[in-house]
Amino acid sequence: MSAVKPEFIDHNGKKIFYLNFSHMEKEAIPAFMEEAKNVLSPQPPSSVLFLANVNKMSFDKQIVKNFVDFFKFTKTYTQKTAVIGLDTIKKMLYEAVLVLSGRGSENIRVFDGPNAEAKAKDWLTVI
C-alpha cells in the first residue's frame, strides 16, 4: 500500500480532492482508488473539485481499465476535474478513458508546463 493517500487540500478557501498518483507503482493504484471511493461516498453529488496528478505513474492495460471504472464512479461526485502530469502516451489513454467511462470532457481540463499544479488549483477554485 502506498504511503500517499487521497486527501482534501485547501486552496483559495475551497476544498480540492487531491489524487496524487505521481510516481505510483501500478500495484498500489487499485488500493489507492478504493480508498478514494471510500472518502468520496459520503460527499454530495456534483460537489467535489478533483485534482489528479499522474506524473510518472506506472500503468498497464489493467490500470487503464481501473481508471475507466474509477471515472464512472467519480462522475456522480464531480463538480470539476483538473489533471496534471500527462505525457504523450497518457494523453491518448486519457482521451480513451473519457470515452469509455462516458465522462466526456465537460468540466475536465488538462494542465501541463510550468506551474501546472498552481494553474490547475486556481482553475478549480475560481467560479
Side-chain angles (χ1 to χ4, degrees):
M1 175 90 171
S2 171
V4 177
K5 302 203 178 299
E7 63 180 335
F8 281 98
I9 59 172
D10 189 70
H11 185 74
N12 290 337
K14 295 189 179 178
K15 292 202 177 299
I16 297 172
F17 194 47
Y18 185 44
L19 300 168
N20 187 3
F21 294 100
S22 178
H23 299 274
M24 192 174 289
E25 293 298 323
K26 59 188 174 204
E27 295 79 17
I29 293 171
F32 184 85
M33 288 178 170
E34 283 305 309
E35 191 166 346
K37 288 178 181 180
N38 291 336
V39 174
L40 285 173
S41 293
Q43 303 302 315
S46 303
S47 67
V48 179
L49 303 171
F50 287 89
L51 174 59
N53 182 348
V54 296
N55 184 46
K56 298 189 177 166
M57 176 194 81
S58 295
F59 67 93
D60 59 14
K61 187 168 60 172
Q62 182 57 48
I63 295 304
V64 173
K65 183 185 179 316
N66 290 1
F67 267 96
V68 170
D69 294 341
F70 189 65
F71 267 50
K72 286 178 181 177
F73 177 85
T74 60
K75 183 176 183 177
T76 301
Y77 303 97
T78 302
Q79 182 179 5
K80 287 167 85 174
T81 301
V83 181
I84 59 175
L86 291 174
D87 58 25
T88 304
I89 293 171
K90 285 192 198 115
K91 281 183 183 176
M92 291 187 295
L93 292 171
Y94 162 79
E95 294 294 333
V97 167
L98 286 180
V99 171
L100 293 170
S101 67
R103 283 288 296 269
S105 59
E106 70 284 348
N107 297 325
I108 299 176
R109 189 163 166 198
V110 174
F111 293 84
D112 55 21
N115 302 315
E117 186 169 327
K119 290 175 187 174
K121 288 176 181 177
D122 287 345
W123 177 77
L124 286 168
T125 58
V126 173
I127 296 177

